[in-house]
């Protein structure tokens, strides 16, 4: 399993010192997947905060980055690939049906967060 953690602080210059803090965590599994031609498989992207949507990418061996899906609700399908999202359980899934040699790549997901009072709030530091 691969965990990507992103933390950051952005200073906001005003008469009093303000800062925005945020923490987002995305976990994708399995970390490594080996699949025989013609088999089906899936990857799962779990996230820990409220989001607007999930973006699935494919990076080919030559380094090209291809956007496969942006999904905010329900299900989307493109040929042998399908993506679903379950906002209540906080995960998205990428399905690969009838895998082909051309599917050999690195796949990853990214989330577009939705700020709430405790995830992206502006507050005054005493």
């Amino acid at each position: 399993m691969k965990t990507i953690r992103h933390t950051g602080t952005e200073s906001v210059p005003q008469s009093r010192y303000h800062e925005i803090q945020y923490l987002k965590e995305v976990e994708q599994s399995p970390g490594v997947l080996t699949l025989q031609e013609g088999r089906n498989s899936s990857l799962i992207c779990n996230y820990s905060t409220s989001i607007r949507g999930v973006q699935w990418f494919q990076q080919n061996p030559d380094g090209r980055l291809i956007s496969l899906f942006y999904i905010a609700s329900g299900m989307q399908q493109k040929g042998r690939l399908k993506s679903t999202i379950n906002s209540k359980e906080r995960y998205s899934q990428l399905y690969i049906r009838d895998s082909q040699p051309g599917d050999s790549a690195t796949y990853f997901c990214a989330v577009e967060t939705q700020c709430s009072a405790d995830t992206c709030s502006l507050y005054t530091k005493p």
Side-chain angles (χ1 to χ4, degrees):
M1 241 180 252
K2 183 178 179 184
T3 301
I4 301 166
R5 185 178 290 262
H6 178 71
T7 61
T9 301
E10 178 184 330
S11 294
V12 180
Q14 290 187 358
S15 59
R16 298 179 78 185
Y17 184 74
H18 296 275
E19 63 183 31
I20 299 171
Q21 292 187 323
Y22 51 93
L23 171 66
K24 301 166 188 75
E25 188 170 297
V26 177
E27 190 175 274
Q28 190 173 319
S29 62
V32 175
L33 177 65
T34 305
L35 191 60
Q36 289 183 340
E37 188 175 342
R39 293 280 178 102
N40 301 333
S41 188
S42 66
L43 300 168
I44 297 174
C45 181
N46 293 292
Y47 46 90
S48 62
T49 188
S50 295
I51 65 162
R52 294 179 191 261
V54 173
Q55 181 89 39
W56 282 99
F57 295 96
Q58 177 189 55
Q59 187 171 22
N60 293 332
D62 66 2
R64 258 184 328 129
L65 190 63
I66 299 166
S67 174
L68 300 174
F69 295 101
Y70 175 84
I71 185 164
S73 64
M75 185 268 296
Q76 291 183 23
Q77 187 160 355
K78 293 179 185 175
R80 296 177 299 101
L81 301 178
K82 178 172 79 170
S83 180
T84 61
I85 190 167
N86 184 325
S87 299
K88 186 176 179 179
E89 299 294 323
R90 294 186 176 179
Y91 75 89
S92 177
Q93 202 156 5
L94 175 67
Y95 299 91
I96 303 171
R97 183 176 45 82
D98 187 27
S99 66
Q100 303 297 313
D103 297 332
S104 181
T106 300
Y107 294 85
F108 59 95
C109 63
V111 298
E112 181 183 7
T113 61
Q114 179 174 321
C115 292
S116 67
D118 36 350
T119 60
C120 299
S121 61
L122 184 64
Y123 66 93
T124 303
K125 186 175 182 178

